[in-house]
Structure formats: structure tokens, C-alpha cells
Amino acid sequence: MHDTTPRRAAALVAALAGLAAPAAVAAPEGHPVILQWFEQRWLDMEHKIPDYFLSGYGALWLPSPFRASDATSPGYDIFNRFDLGGPGNSTAYGTEEQFRAVVDEFHRAGGLVYLETILNHNSGRSGDLGFQQAGGWPGFWMGPIDSPFKGPTNNWGDFHNGIASGYYQSEDPGGPRYDLHRGDLVALVDIAQESNNQYIRQPVVAGNPQNIPAGSVYNQPDANNARFYPDRDLPGQMVSNPGTFRTPGVINLTFYPFNEPNPMAGDAVAENATGMLMRWLQWMVFEFKIDGFRLDAAKHTPPWFWDQYFDSAVYQIRKAPDGTMTTPYSFVEAVDGNSTIFNNYVRKPNNSNRAGDTWGNRDALDLSGAGALRNLVNAGGFGFWGDVIGAHLDNVDNYNDGTVGVNHVTSHDNGSTGNGSSMPSVPTKRQQGFFAHAYLLFRPGPAIVYHNARGISRSFGFFPREGSPLALGLDPDPDGNGAIESGSATPNATLTNLVHTANEVARGQFFPLSTGGDVLVYERSTPTTGQNYPNGYSANVLIGASDSYGQGFATVNVTTTFPQGTRLHEMTGNAADPIVDPTSAISEVLTVGSGGQVSIRVPHNTSSAGEHNRGFVVYAPALPTVDVQLTNIAGTIPADPASIPPARRRLAEVPYIQSDTFSINVTTTQTDPSDANTDDAALFRFGQGFVDLNGNATVDVTSGEFAGWEQFLTLNQPLFGSGNANGHYAQTIDASNLPEGYNYLSVATFRHRPAGNAPLFDEARKVVYIDRLDPEAEWSNQVGSVGTNSILIQATGTDKTVETVYVLLDVPSGTDPRTLVNASNLASRRDRSLFERTLTGLTHGYHTVSIVAGEDSGRLGVTEYTFFADICVGDTNADGVLNSSDFLEYLNQWSSHDPEADLNPPGGDGVWDSSDFLVYLNFYALGC
């Protein structure tokens, strides 16, 4: 335990009692910071993934990608769960292929993908006769068709009906017909998870009596629907769910896997609505490799659905990067008290007072803690930090240790500005609450930064609320006037520096040291042993945050568990910033005194230089100073120019490599001349890791926070204890072991620490583009012949590097088609890898098509095809009929020396004489 004498005096007021965890409870490590990234089309999001990676994030919360009732909807009025959009019929965010590509790219960047998931309701309730006759909601049965409309007391099949006075509603407990589990949420039709109408809900074969009743538009049989079903010829997995104290009793279910090599081998079987929802969840994990779910409106769905069916459907179905099967991590949205949320919706490991109820992996958004943080931000300096600490969901299991709750400041529902009825203004720096994010990112447990990219145009609510425009390092409103300024948007690393630093030093349990007034000071520390740690803990980082907008700073004296003499460096740059600290009163280095005493100065959000909104400091032992260089760089893919709108503008410059090998070279330097604890080890990984890239035939680290990382074997010379001026690490990489395109490198260089201490390290991230091979696109709708004078060419990129395609007709022999590409022969992009261009003016005979594929590095690849145009030569006006008008048209062409009339020899000789006329007469005589 901590030394309670100084710590538990006035600093730990009654509101904070019981928040310190005993040594027996170890806080989990390795929670990546989650970026909630909304309002961005998938193609634009994929384009900006290098910025996401370089910003330090490790996970994503993405919006619902499924077909909604309106094509521009954010997705909560879900219409068809198995429709993610297609060419010419996209959702607000794009198409299924584009969604698959963006998820794949996030995984290549080492990210986990959590998906917005709606299991409580469909879109707005409609009893319209035409809607019923069209088939209603795909996959759901509305009950028998009722004319002229379906009313509240009619049979609604898979949905809850109402009573004579109207439908039940679930959002207003004081209103009429309130029913939490049977009521519509803001008029969205409520699914009856308990209903048991057995149908094949995505029919495959017409005439099957088990098919859901088909409408004129929806629920029609389609052979392609087989891909939505598991293959029951593959071995099944029996899941034995032990039940919970809420829903006792074992439930046994058998699930079959989807056939990934052959999706059309799926077997359609009858099921109820809950069965379809379970299958849909599994399809998302198997088909798109989703890592988890954010579960919307959870309290409006009965707990037995979560405990028995949701948990069973997702149990051990996700393949982790190391190949093991795991249960996807999910977190519910439940607007309720912390105890109710914990007791009804949380089911996961590490809940110390819920032994035996850890079968699932289901957490909850910390809505109470988020609300307290927003209150603090909006109070403008008149709030109380103790209200925030005491509000967290994590307190419910007796500890504030990161084991329960997903933390955030803002979200699409409760943003920094906006009310959901129209496009919100850009939030001010004050509204974004940087000091609140600093507090949140360094405390234990998963943390979310919410980013509204403003990349979707819509003319009606619901507009997702605003979040943190700086989340990806770009400030779209540098002058703070509340408007997007594309040309003057500038880089701003306030938030991304916090994310990076939290990755490096935020480890251990949470211990508030001072919560008085406007300033909170806390440390993160881990249990350890040894003579230098008489309290049984070793601190890793010290954080100070102020909500005050008074000028200057506050001085706070605290007792830490850092050993005496430890030199602590301010990690955010605020202590060295002349705007934050114009008088240089805030120390860049603190030295810990006797018994762990530290005097820390925490800046308020205003100084004599003006309002800066950076009322925070972070102190930690010096990390290695690291320089990472890559060899064999052939060139650089530039950052986007300032003229590109902020929603799409990418800040990252990306080097590209075209050789078969390259090296990662790491040079380290002693950061603090008075601190001998320099680097003693380094690791690296690309993407999610678990690939042998150093040639020793194994993955070097197989467990713990750094599982999947590799050692430097080409050169491994740590600085610590070497007597050298620098440390050096190097690894030669076989580029053929990395995929073509963008690759995402992380290098962790560790500070030397005594045994038993948590790792502190510098994390360097780099994006590199592997460009060994030409990009390639194939003619996907290829035909051998065509009978018209035009043809639609569809070209499909055969790998993910293809970003542009040019289609050229009849390039002269000996000419490289790559020298002829320009805007006039650029194909239009129809999908992530599908491009189209129509070629016109075809003449009778053989033609060549040159498809030139381009990638971001500027490299071009060519594939060529031949086809035959079987066109009636005499039909000069190309109407398919040969008559006197064609003869007269040819005479006009011939007399005016039109090249089209030069027919002898085939292709013409540049001479217009009687031989051309005789050739035409022969064609005319033959007819079409």
C-alpha cells in the first residue's frame, strides 16, 4: 500500500475514499487509445490512415456502415444489416468493398476496429401499405399485410406492437405508454428479440416454403445471399454459456464458421430475429475481421439478450494477430446510473467483486464520468475535480483502476458543441477541453478521443455533435472564428502529443495526490519491491491538470512514490512554451526530494500571453532520445497541399522503397546528462506484429504488452552501460516479407529501469510505402468481340495499391502507353478497386486496350488486351441499317477526303482514289 500519512490527509477527501487499489489488484496495461472517427467517407478515411497511425492511436470506433433508411443518414435508422453499399448505390460512407479496404488498412496499421452496432431497433416505424407490400425491413417479418395500414394493435411479427392508444415508447419514463424494453426509441421500430418466427431471412432458392414472405422489392430470393450464412459442412463449435446472476442457467448453442475461401458454400437455415442478429454479428467478425462492437441503446434491450445470446454469438470467434481465438471486446451505451450499468450490462474479466461472471468481454461507456468532465470543461474554471473522479463507472467495483469503463470527454451524442439539428460550428479551443483530455488519456482504462471529420454532407439532422477537430493533428480553424478554413488549416499537435506520451509512460494504478481547488495532481504507479520503494509502489508518471482560466499557475506540493533524486522531465512541451509559461516559472525538470516530495507547478489555461487552453503538465523520467532512419529510400509521397479540404487532407509525407531490402537504423542519445538511465533495449514491429522479420524463424516476444514485436539482430548496441556516446540498433528487412503499399513501423526504445518496474519507452512511428512491383489492373468485364462502335471497359485493381487507372485505345506499336496518360483517358472510380471508361469511335477490326494502373508513389503498370469490333463498314451513320443515306454520306466523306473514307488498304493509305470507292461499293453490296 501507499504511505497513507501524507497521502490520505486533506488530499483524499471523502468523495475519493476507497479509490486507491490494494497491491493485490493489478491494473491492466496495453489499452490502446481509441479514436472515434465519424463523418468520413471510407475512401477518404483510408487515405488519411497514415495520419491516424502517426498520431499514436491504436484502435478505432467506426460508424455504422450498413444501409440506413436515408442514404445520407449517420446509420442509427438501420434498414438492411447485410447491405453495406455498392457501386452507384453507396451508403453515406461508401461501399462494402471500400469498408473492407479501410478495415484491412487499419489492421495493417496495427489498429483494432470497433464497430457501431444497432441491435435494439430498425429505422422509423412504418405501417404504410406500400412499405408492407415492398417487403418491409430486409430479413425481418412484419406480420401479415394489413390494409390500408398496419396499426398499433396489429400483428407486427418480429417487432413489438402497441395498444389501442398507440405504440409503446422507451425514451420518456414519465410519458404515456412507457416501456423500456418494448418501446420505440425516438419512433425507431423496436425489435422483439423474444419473438420466434422461423424463416430463412436472406432467401437463396426460390420456392423454399421456409423463405420469409417476399415483397415486391425486399426479401426476394437471391443466390448471392448464400454468402451471408455459415457453412454447416464445416465443423461446428458448441458454446456453453454458464449464465449470470441476472440470467442464471446454462445455455448451449452450436455455431458453424463461415467459409472464407468459398463464401457461396453457406447454408441458409430458418431462424428467428434474434438468430439473424447473432448470425449478422458473426458475419461481421468472420467476413470483415471486426475486433469488437460498440452496442447502441443497450438498456432498451433486455439483459437476457446480452447475457445469453450476444455473449454466446461472439464467444471466441475473433482470430487475434497471434492466431489464437478470442472474444471480441465490446462496450455498451446505457444511459443509467453506474451501479445499474455495472450490474446489468458489464460482463468481463477483472471485475473483482463479480467472481464467476467473467465469461464475456463486454464493457460499458463511462457516461457518468464523461458528463462530469464536460461539466468541468463548461464550468470555465468553477468546477471541482473531485466530482469527476467520484463520477467514474470504474468506482463501482471498489477500485478506480481501469478495469471497468471506456472513458471519453465527448461523443457524437454529447459533443463539444452542436445539438444534432444542423451542422455544428467548429468548437473553440476552450470547448474542446484539452486539460480534460490530458487527465483522461493518462488515467487507467481505455480512453476515446472523438473526431467529427465533417466529411459527409447532409441537409437535415441528426448531425453528429462536434468533438476534437485536432484529433489527427490538423487545426481546421486556427484563428478560432468557428469556421472551417481549408487554405489556412495548420498542423497542431496538442492532442496527438498527449496520445503519444500516454502510450510511452501511462502505466500503473491511479492515485490522486491533490484534488484541491482547480488543480488535480495524480500519479500512475506500479507495485514493486526493493529498498528504494518502501511504500511498495514505484511511480511512472506524474500528471497535473487545471480547469482554471485565471492567469499563471498553481504550485502544489505532493508526495509521490518516485525514489528520492529521480529527475522528472516535462513531456508535453508546455513548460518550455512561451505562450503557456512566458515567465519560465514552470520547471522543465523536477528533482524528487526526500520521501518522494515534489513541488509541481501546473499552468492554468491563461497566461499573460493570452488564453492558451493547455492547462496541464506531464512529468516522467527521461526517455531515450531516438532517431530512426530507413535506408534505400527511392522517393517520397508528398503530403497533401493546403488547398485540399481538411476532411481529406493528409499531413504525412511517406517515403517509398523500391529495392528488395532495406534497413531500420536506430540511434539513441542520452537525453539528460545527469541521468545515466539511458536505453537498454529496443523492439520493432510492422502493423499488428507476429511476423518474423529479423530472420530468426520465430516471433521474438510472444506474451505481454509487446507480444508480436521483434528484436534488432543485425545490430544491437544499447547505450546504457556501454560508455559510448550513442546507442545503435539496426535490422535489415527483406521487403518481400511486407505487402506492397503502405506499411506501418513502430520502434520502442526502453529506458533502463530496475527489475519489477513498468516499462517506459520512446515510441517512434514511421509509415513507409513498399513499391517493388508495378501496380496492375485487369480488364474485369473482358469480351472477345463487340458489335457496336463503343465499349465500356471495367478495370479492377489486382492489389490495394491501385489508386488511378487510365484506359487507352490502339496505342501505336512501339509506344509506351505510360507516356500517353492524361486526364482525357483517365477512368472514373466506381468502387475501391473498380474503374470504368467508355471507348467510342470503334471501327471494324481488331483493337488493343491498354490499361495503365497508377499508385501513390507515381509508379505505373501496364496490361494490354485485344478485342474485335465486328462493325458493318458500310453503315456510315452507325444506325444498324444500310441504305441510300449511308451511300450519300460516304460520297460526302470521300469527296472531302475525310479519313473515315480512306478504306484501301484496311486502315487507309492516305490517298483518296477510286480504289477506296470500289472497296466501299463491295461493303455496300454485302450489306450488314
Side-chain angles (χ1 to χ4, degrees):
M1 291 286 290
H2 276 304
D3 179 5
T4 59
T5 305
R7 182 179 297 262
R8 312 251 183 205
L12 288 187
V13 294
L16 308 178
L19 298 184
V25 179
E29 306 289 5
H31 287 297
V33 179
I34 302 168
L35 178 67
Q36 182 188 357
W37 194 349
F38 276 31
E39 295 298 274
Q40 185 91 69
R41 290 186 63 81
W42 305 134
L43 279 175
D44 293 339
M45 187 178 285
E46 183 183 352
H47 176 71
K48 288 172 66 71
I49 287 178
D51 285 353
Y52 150 86
F53 176 74
L54 294 174
S55 296
Y57 298 102
L60 281 301
W61 168 7
L62 297 182
S64 170
F66 311 103
R67 177 74 59 193
S69 60
D70 186 280
T72 63
S73 165
Y76 293 92
D77 54 336
I78 192 165
F79 180 71
N80 186 350
R81 286 170 172 77
F82 289 91
D83 181 358
L84 285 75
N89 188 29
S90 71
T91 69
Y93 306 109
T95 69
E96 178 178 323
E97 186 193 356
Q98 292 164 6
F99 175 72
R100 188 190 312 276
V102 80
V103 172
D104 288 348
E105 194 69 13
F106 278 128
H107 285 155
R108 282 177 63 162
L112 301 170
V113 178
Y114 304 134
L115 196 65
E116 185 69 58
T117 306
I118 296 94
L119 295 164
N120 172 71
H121 57 261
N122 284 355
S123 59
R125 187 183 287 269
S126 174
D128 179 77
L129 179 60
F131 182 70
Q132 296 179 69
Q133 292 173 335
W137 291 275
F140 288 89
W141 182 55
M142 285 185 66
I145 291 177
D146 294 293
S147 180
F149 62 88
K150 187 179 288 291
T153 60
N154 290 119
N155 181 356
W156 277 80
D158 296 328
F159 306 97
H160 288 121
N161 57 7
I163 55 179
S165 59
Y167 297 103
Y168 297 110
Q169 56 86 20
S170 66
E171 69 267 17
D172 181 11
R177 298 180 304 282
Y178 175 75
D179 190 299
L180 178 62
H181 294 149
R182 292 188 298 167
D184 291 354
L185 179 64
V186 291
L188 300 168
V189 66
D190 195 69
I191 299 171
Q193 284 83 6
E194 74 279 6
S195 62
N196 192 26
N197 305 300
Q198 295 286 326
Y199 291 113
I200 294 174
R201 293 172 176 271
Q202 278 74 42
V204 175
V205 179
N208 191 323
Q210 292 185 302
N211 286 347
I212 191 169
S216 59
V217 180
Y218 306 113
N219 295 326
Q220 291 279 346
D222 184 344
N224 291 317
N225 286 343
R227 72 187 184 100
F228 303 137
Y229 285 91
D231 183 353
R232 298 175 74 86
D233 291 329
L234 298 176
Q237 176 190 11
M238 191 184 81
V239 171
S240 184
N241 186 333
T244 71
F245 74 93
R246 300 174 297 270
T247 313
V250 175
I251 178 172
N252 296 309
L253 297 169
T254 299
F255 297 104
Y256 294 88
F258 288 78
N259 191 324
E260 296 181 56
N262 182 19
M264 298 305 293
D267 298 304
V269 297
E271 63 200 345
N272 58 25
T274 289
M276 187 189 73
L277 294 175
M278 296 164 71
R279 172 168 55 86
W280 173 58
L281 292 165
Q282 294 177 336
W283 184 64
M284 293 309 299
V285 176
F286 279 99
E287 180 71 13
F288 299 99
K289 307 301 184 286
I290 296 303
D291 300 291
F293 303 94
R294 185 269 192 184
L295 303 170
D296 181 69
K299 79 170 186 177
H300 300 272
T301 305
W304 59 260
F305 173 81
W306 304 115
D307 291 348
Q308 293 185 318
Y309 295 99
F310 174 84
D311 286 345
S312 296
V314 301
Y315 181 71
Q316 298 285 292
I317 66 170
R318 171 185 170 262
K319 182 179 287 187
D322 65 353
T324 60
M325 301 306 294
T326 64
T327 299
Y329 176 68
S330 301
F331 47 100
V332 305
E333 178 221 26
V335 184
D336 216 320
N338 284 345
S339 294
T340 300
I341 293 172
F342 182 74
N343 288 325
N344 289 282
Y345 304 106
V346 173
R347 188 186 191 190
K348 63 191 291 275
N350 299 316
N351 295 337
S352 57
N353 68 339
R354 294 259 295 279
D357 191 12
T358 61
W359 191 76
N361 195 16
R362 181 161 37 92
D363 208 336
L365 285 170
D366 183 6
L367 300 182
S368 176
L373 275 170
R374 289 193 300 275
N375 290 342
L376 190 70
V377 171
N378 295 331
F382 295 95
F384 176 54
W385 278 103
D387 292 339
V388 172
I389 299 173
H392 284 297
L393 176 63
D394 203 13
N395 294 310
V396 179
D397 68 345
N398 297 328
Y399 308 110
N400 214 344
D401 56 3
T403 57
V404 180
V406 181
N407 305 300
H408 61 289
V409 180
T410 57
S411 73
H412 62 290
D413 283 322
N414 297 285
S416 53
T417 184
N419 61 14
S421 62
S422 61
M423 176 67 78
S425 61
V426 179
T428 65
K429 304 298 188 292
R430 180 183 286 211
Q431 287 174 318
Q432 292 179 56
F434 300 139
F435 67 84
H437 282 88
Y439 157 75
L440 198 69
L441 287 166
F442 284 86
R443 62 164 285 132
I448 295 171
V449 176
Y450 167 50
H451 179 52
N452 181 329
R454 293 174 171 258
I456 305 293
S457 296
R458 56 173 63 91
S459 58
F460 64 94
F462 151 82
F463 282 84
R465 274 61 160 183
E466 254 296 351
S468 304
L470 276 60
L472 290 172
L474 183 67
D475 186 355
D477 180 27
D479 65 4
N481 68 0
I484 297 289
E485 300 164 53
S486 295
S488 59
T490 58
N492 187 318
T494 299
L495 275 175
T496 57
N497 281 346
L498 287 171
V499 174
H500 267 290
T501 307
N503 291 344
E504 298 170 331
V505 299
R507 278 158 183 76
Q509 296 174 26
F510 171 79
F511 288 102
L513 307 180
S514 173
T515 60
D518 296 309
V519 176
L520 167 69
V521 178
Y522 69 92
E523 75 172 26
R524 294 281 303 275
S525 54
T526 50
T528 189
T529 57
Q531 60 181 356
N532 290 329
Y533 309 102
N535 297 315
Y537 281 81
S538 172
N540 303 308
V541 62
L542 181 68
I543 298 97
S546 170
D547 73 323
S548 172
Y549 279 84
Q551 281 194 20
F553 56 86
T555 301
V556 183
N557 297 314
V558 294
T559 300
T560 74
T561 57
F562 283 109
Q564 180 176 345
T566 303
R567 291 170 60 81
L568 303 176
H569 290 247
E570 208 284 306
M571 309 294 286
T572 70
N574 282 349
D577 191 303
I579 303 295
V580 177
D581 184 25
T583 63
S584 299
I586 301 173
S587 297
E588 293 185 53
V589 180
L590 300 176
T591 302
V592 178
S594 174
Q597 292 290 318
V598 173
S599 181
I600 179 174
R601 289 179 171 177
V602 181
H604 298 315
N605 290 282
T606 302
S607 72
S608 59
E611 184 174 312
H612 53 75
N613 299 288
R614 284 180 282 159
F616 53 85
V617 284
V618 176
Y619 287 93
L623 302 179
T625 297
V626 178
D627 178 61
V628 178
Q629 297 293 328
L630 304 176
T631 65
N632 293 347
I633 300 298
T636 300
I637 300 170
D640 288 337
S643 59
I644 299 297
R648 179 172 170 77
R649 181 178 164 192
R650 188 173 75 193
L651 295 176
E653 294 183 346
V654 180
Y656 59 87
I657 291 172
Q658 295 180 326
S659 61
D660 290 338
T661 63
F662 66 96
S663 290
I664 308 167
N665 292 334
V666 180
T667 303
T668 65
T669 306
Q670 185 170 355
T671 301
D672 183 346
S674 300
D675 187 343
N677 289 301
T678 54
D679 58 280
D680 63 2
L683 298 171
F684 75 95
R685 74 170 181 178
F686 279 91
Q688 295 181 310
F690 292 98
V691 178
D692 171 31
L693 292 173
N694 58 14
N696 64 352
T698 187
V699 174
D700 296 339
V701 184
T702 57
S703 63
E705 181 179 350
F706 292 92
W709 291 59
E710 293 280 89
Q711 296 178 348
F712 287 88
L713 297 184
T714 304
L715 183 64
N716 196 316
Q717 296 178 349
L719 179 56
F720 180 75
S722 69
N724 297 325
N726 300 101
H728 296 283
Y729 307 85
Q731 184 59 54
T732 300
I733 302 293
D734 181 347
S736 67
N737 290 326
L738 296 173
E740 289 283 296
Y742 292 95
N743 286 269
Y744 303 84
L745 169 67
S746 300
V747 175
T749 309
F750 296 87
R751 171 187 168 87
H752 173 73
R753 303 198 84 191
N757 280 240
L760 302 181
F761 58 92
D762 173 272
E763 183 190 32
R765 293 188 174 195
K766 284 187 175 292
V767 184
V768 59
Y769 190 94
I770 301 299
D771 185 27
R772 297 171 50 251
L773 306 174
D774 283 348
E776 184 176 307
E778 64 183 12
W779 183 5
S780 51
N781 66 333
Q782 182 181 2
V783 295
S785 64
V786 61
T788 63
N789 63 356
S790 66
I791 183 173
L792 173 67
I793 303 293
Q794 292 183 328
T796 301
T798 57
D799 64 43
K800 288 185 60 179
T801 66
V802 177
E803 289 292 332
T804 54
V805 167
Y806 302 85
V807 179
L808 294 83
L809 179 67
D810 295 333
V811 173
S813 177
T815 301
D816 187 343
R818 289 173 290 196
T819 65
L820 302 178
V821 299
N822 55 50
S824 69
N825 46 51
L826 179 66
S828 60
R829 193 172 200 168
R830 293 278 291 160
D831 210 338
R832 172 60 180 82
S833 299
L834 178 64
F835 302 81
E836 291 183 351
R837 181 169 181 240
T838 298
L839 301 176
T840 59
L842 301 180
T843 59
H844 185 80
Y846 285 97
H847 296 272
T848 61
V849 173
S850 300
I851 296 178
V852 182
E855 57 185 315
D856 284 348
S857 67
R859 190 169 185 152
L860 300 174
V862 180
T863 52
E864 294 188 322
Y865 300 87
T866 301
F867 71 96
F868 185 76
D870 189 6
I871 300 172
C872 177
V873 179
D875 185 12
T876 54
N877 60 10
D879 63 358
V881 178
L882 194 61
N883 55 29
S884 59
S885 65
D886 298 296
F887 186 83
L888 293 174
E889 174 66 20
Y890 180 77
L891 281 177
N892 181 59
Q893 292 175 342
W894 185 70
S895 62
S896 62
H897 288 193
D898 187 332
E900 294 290 332
D902 187 10
L903 301 178
N904 188 36
D909 60 2
V911 177
W912 282 263
D913 55 24
S914 60
S915 65
D916 299 293
F917 190 79
L918 292 173
V919 169
Y920 179 77
L921 286 178
N922 184 56
F923 281 125
Y924 189 78
L926 291 173
C928 288

